[in-house]
Amino acid sequence: MKVTLITTVLAALVSTAAAEPTLVKRANPQGIDVSHYQGAVNFKTAKANGIAFAYIKATEGTTFIDPEFNTNYVAATNAGIIRGGYHFAHPDSSSGATQANYFLAHGGGWSADGITLPGALDIEYNPNGATCYGLSASAMVSWIKDFSNTYHSKTGVYPVIYTTTDWWKTCTGNSAAFGSTNPLWIARYASSIGTLPAGWSYTTFWQYANSGSNPGDQDLFNGSLDGLKRLATAA
């Protein structure tokens, strides 16, 4: 997500029509999300460039552990960046509970230490087949609930849900079942967030571009740095 000037992005955040959910300009800490595709990330440089938080890929399905996860997680910690892990879902391969437990066993855990974000469930377009993984809308909602409830039962917090509005409408029937429990991380590469999935009146994170001066995808937190730290303590 190539953005020439961050001021352009911030200006866009406060100029969107009132009919669309938008981020409010309140410092909006910048973040990145990375995986093995970026290799070993220099998080000290990212921190110097204004990055306050990072989501780092930990697992995918029940057969893949990101080979760079440990290196990047430790590096982000040492750089003083608030960080968390994310799991790329494959709802067609095993149950939500099975994948939540796999995620928890390989980097997706959480503790109220002020520097660990709740784990994130990356639920989106199938890269290798049917968009909705062959599941009906009701089956997809049940799968997500299974993952979410399992994660909550083990950590005391609900996972962040990363998705796009289009995928959510297509594959969950625009379910409103998660808006009161799970923080939303919306992906939309545009000057405004646009319409959100049902159930959420605002997004917690916005992935607004997939390239920039820092490695990985570019994200903004909807709030202040203090608010970001509260999320890392579940306060």
Side-chain angles (χ1 to χ4, degrees):
M1 42 189 151
K2 185 66 176 175
V3 178
T4 306
L5 295 173
I6 191 63
T7 52
T8 301
V9 174
L10 293 177
L13 300 180
V14 295
S15 65
T16 308
E20 292 187 339
T22 62
L23 294 177
V24 179
K25 189 176 179 182
R26 293 173 297 176
N28 297 115
Q30 299 175 60
I32 53 175
D33 56 279
V34 300
S35 70
H36 61 285
Y37 291 113
Q38 284 76 42
V41 175
N42 188 329
F43 279 98
K44 288 186 177 179
T45 298
K47 175 80 169 181
N49 288 341
I51 294 302
F53 69 91
Y55 266 109
I56 302 165
K57 185 175 183 178
T59 50
E60 183 170 338
T62 55
T63 60
F64 181 81
I65 300 170
D66 194 293
E68 295 292 344
F69 174 76
N70 287 335
T71 297
N72 282 331
Y73 201 81
V74 170
T77 304
N78 291 340
I81 289 174
I82 298 172
R83 71 290 184 270
Y86 77 86
H87 173 81
F88 191 96
H90 283 276
D92 55 342
S93 66
S94 56
S95 71
T98 297
Q99 292 193 32
N101 285 322
Y102 186 77
F103 178 44
L104 286 162
H106 298 98
W110 181 84
S111 60
D113 56 11
I115 60 170
T116 305
L117 295 167
L121 172 64
D122 181 346
I123 186 89
E124 55 169 299
Y125 306 97
N126 183 357
N128 301 308
T131 296
C132 300
Y133 301 85
L135 273 63
S136 66
S138 60
M140 184 65 75
V141 170
S142 295
W143 192 97
I144 297 169
K145 284 183 178 178
D146 196 27
F147 184 103
S148 180
N149 290 339
T150 300
Y151 191 89
H152 179 262
S153 71
K154 300 294 178 64
T155 64
V157 296
Y158 286 97
V160 173
I161 292 177
Y162 168 97
T163 194
T164 70
T165 299
D166 175 71
W167 185 91
W168 193 262
K169 287 181 175 180
T170 300
C171 296
T172 73
N174 206 22
S175 171
F178 303 92
S180 63
T181 52
N182 301 73
L184 176 65
W185 179 7
I186 200 74
R188 187 168 192 256
Y189 303 161
S191 61
S192 66
I193 296 170
T195 303
L196 295 178
W200 285 284
S201 59
Y202 62 92
T203 188
T204 298
F205 297 102
W206 176 19
Q207 185 188 84
Y208 64 87
N210 61 1
S211 65
S213 58
N214 288 298
D217 298 324
Q218 311 300 297
D219 304 284
L220 290 173
F221 174 72
N222 184 11
S224 65
L225 183 59
D226 285 342
L228 183 66
K229 290 177 179 178
R230 285 195 296 273
L231 182 62
T233 57

